[in-house]
Amino acid sequence: MNDIPLRVIPLGGLGEIGKNMMVIEYGDEAVVIDSGVLFPEENMPGVDFVIPDISYLVENADKITAILITHGHEDHIGALPYVLDRIDVPIYSSRLTHGLITVKLREHGRLADARLNVVQPYEPFTIGKLGVEFFRVCHSIPDAMGIAVRTPLGIVIHTGDFKVDHTPEDGKGTDFSALARMAEEGVLLLCSDSTYAEVEGYTLSERVVGETLDREIAQAPGRVMVATFASLISRVQQVIDAAVRYDRKVTVVGRSMVNNVKMARNLGYLRVPDDTLVSMNEARKLPHAQVVIIATGAQGEPTSALVRIANGEHQDVEIEEGDTVIVSASPIPGNETLVARTIDNLLRQGAKVLYSRVAMVHVHGHASREELKMMLSLVKPRFFVPVHGEYRHLVAHAELAVSVGVPPENAFVLEDGEVLALWEDYGEVIDEVPAGHVYVDGHRRWDDTSKVLDERRKLASDGVVTLTVTLDKETGDFLSHPLVKTSGFLDVNGSDGILEEASEIVLDALDELNGSERRNGKIEPKIKRALSKYLYDETRMRPTIIVQTELV
């Protein structure tokens, strides 16, 4: 028996939608699969996105031999610029994914030092003691891959995001023959996409969306604006095909969309007639019935093109009567309010808006229950770990695995940071490593131990009270009445004298200190205690209190 276990360590993507990152470790070598972001939820004010805590990777940098990327969506590649800030490791991906990574790293100024490698499917290669083979799966983006890692204990298959589509837009479906070949060798572990493990039946084909887009662009009386993910190249192709069919020109707005369309066209993943793409300046000169706009913003991102258009803040595009807007995506959990607000604002301005609840303008790229059972039945893994999903999705997927023959003791529902050790015929969770959130706001980052997010939530909830006290720097005597201001706490006109009384409470508290204590910084804790107690007694709210002392 081999005494060295295979260690499986999820650093993101288990118990959540996004932030996907998995470590496969054997002995003194490890590979990382995916490096994604999680989009901020409503309770994360000011946060741009969330990345995995990679302290385990940094502490074990000498073990990490490669990062393997399944496909080019943000929840699988978005954290790469931040990971490469901390560890120097080669990255392996398919050709289109390589292009999307190149665009992202260039935007972050990280491209020059990155060690990027393009991998062809079904061409095995070796990294240290581990063998790697990419194989095709069908998702909502071309060149999506599953990854097989050959270890001394057996094959680990990571599906990435996948579904079974018999009529995919690019003609390349999930490769069951490759999976069957690996199954014949014997699969130690299957890690499989769980996002839609609660959904019965089969996932609809991308072709259904193409038919809807074709119909709506054909009959639209004015401009058509289609908002989707910048990395959803196959959806962009569907829009371009329909525009060409009905003699419309296409213009692209949103930096990431412009960059990705240019890259995908250069690599041959987008087929665009030479005279189809036009600039926004050219599009403005055309009749509206001859224009299609492809834009970012399908998730209601505040700085995206569609949201700025919906808010009347875009420098080039204003909604007019007759415009049709198609939001070709489903809201990521946590983004529902942002997307709904964007749709409302578009409707207020007179646009016809089509979105996933009212029209077949998006199908998800993830396997439903029958497809998940098909994967399990074909691969026949000895052990199973559901990945990519909230906890209920993981549980539902594990139950599916047991229903098709995986022994219950071999189906492991893990959470981020748990370390699963697998031997040839036995597995158990043996440890835990740091795997929390790291929040990104511009150039700043902080983790779950920081108080920044709690303070922002408190400010958003109860507001802030600013108190200015002016003292004589020699004697400590008051030179003016304490000045109390508030933001997001009370309407000054309706405060019923609370702020005036607060000023008197501060004076009373200061009277209990002598001049030396006032000059030497003793006043802040005294004021805060007295003022906080008074404000809570009066309002049952606890605003953030900021004390400013001026010595003159």
Side-chain angles (χ1 to χ4, degrees), residues 273-327:
D274 290 338
D275 62 345
T276 297
L277 283 179
V278 299
S279 69
M280 179 55 69
N281 284 337
E282 293 174 280
R284 279 202 296 261
K285 298 173 185 175
L286 296 171
H288 283 188
Q290 295 178 16
V291 175
V292 172
I293 298 172
I294 304 177
T296 56
Q299 293 301 316
E301 305 96 314
T303 60
S304 66
L306 184 67
V307 172
R308 286 184 286 127
I309 291 169
N311 294 339
E313 298 170 352
H314 197 279
Q315 61 181 3
D316 295 318
V317 184
E318 293 181 5
I319 293 294
E320 298 182 19
E321 291 287 341
D323 286 343
T324 298
V325 180
I326 300 173
V327 182

Side-chain angles (χ1 to χ4, degrees), residues 270-504:
L270 273 178
R271 304 176 304 278
V272 189
D274 290 338
D275 62 345
T276 297
L277 283 179
V278 299
S279 69
M280 179 55 69
N281 284 337
E282 293 174 280
R284 279 202 296 261
K285 298 173 185 175
L286 296 171
H288 283 188
Q290 295 178 16
V291 175
V292 172
I293 298 172
I294 304 177
T296 56
Q299 293 301 316
E301 305 96 314
T303 60
S304 66
L306 184 67
V307 172
R308 286 184 286 127
I309 291 169
N311 294 339
E313 298 170 352
H314 197 279
Q315 61 181 3
D316 295 318
V317 184
E318 293 181 5
I319 293 294
E320 298 182 19
E321 291 287 341
D323 286 343
T324 298
V325 180
I326 300 173
V327 182
S328 188
S330 294
I332 292 171
N335 284 7
E336 294 89 349
T337 301
L338 293 174
V339 174
R341 186 180 303 133
T342 301
I343 292 170
D344 285 345
N345 288 340
L346 291 165
L347 290 167
R348 285 191 181 99
Q349 295 185 57
K352 173 185 176 182
V353 185
L354 300 173
Y355 50 100
S356 58
R357 285 193 177 183
V358 300
M360 189 57 68
V361 294
H362 179 71
V363 297
H364 58 78
H366 303 272
S368 298
R369 289 173 67 86
E370 292 305 314
E371 296 153 89
L372 296 176
K373 287 193 285 188
M374 191 183 307
M375 176 68 72
L376 283 156
S377 299
L378 178 61
V379 172
K380 295 183 174 61
R382 197 176 315 157
F383 298 99
F384 176 69
V385 172
V387 297
H388 302 174
E390 295 175 353
Y391 197 77
R392 66 184 183 277
H393 304 144
L394 307 181
V395 170
H397 201 175
E399 291 172 349
L400 269 185
V402 172
S403 75
V404 298
V406 175
E409 65 274 15
N410 288 2
F412 294 92
V413 177
L414 303 180
E415 293 196 82
D416 294 344
E418 292 187 324
V419 179
L420 172 65
L422 296 177
W423 290 267
E424 290 180 355
D425 55 3
Y426 172 70
E428 66 172 327
V429 175
I430 62 169
D431 200 0
E432 192 168 342
V433 304
H437 287 352
V438 173
Y439 304 94
V440 178
D441 180 5
H443 294 296
R444 295 171 295 172
R445 282 174 255 176
W446 63 89
D447 60 22
D448 288 322
T449 64
S450 171
K451 295 182 179 179
V452 171
L453 206 54
D454 285 340
E455 290 173 353
R456 288 185 178 184
R457 289 170 182 147
K458 185 177 179 182
L459 287 170
S461 172
D462 288 346
V464 60
V465 170
T466 303
L467 177 71
T468 304
V469 179
T470 305
L471 304 173
D472 186 299
K473 64 182 179 182
E474 301 294 337
T475 65
D477 292 337
F478 308 126
L479 295 182
S480 64
H481 215 66
L483 179 63
V484 182
K485 292 185 177 180
T486 178
S487 178
F489 172 54
L490 289 174
D491 183 341
V492 175
N493 295 327
S495 63
D496 296 328
I498 290 176
L499 297 184
E500 292 79 1
E501 183 61 25
S503 182
E504 297 301 324

Side-chain angles (χ1 to χ4, degrees), residues 23-42:
V23 181
I24 305 295
E25 181 179 314
Y26 183 81
D28 58 358
E29 294 184 359
V31 294
V32 178
I33 297 178
D34 288 332
S35 179
V37 300
L38 179 143
F39 293 101
E41 299 171 357
E42 284 280 305

Side-chain angles (χ1 to χ4, degrees), residues 101-119:
I101 292 170
T102 298
V103 170
K104 177 162 293 296
L105 294 183
R106 183 181 292 118
E107 289 174 352
H108 285 262
R110 291 291 313 163
L111 183 59
D113 300 327
R115 293 189 278 158
L116 304 183
N117 302 272
V118 177
V119 177

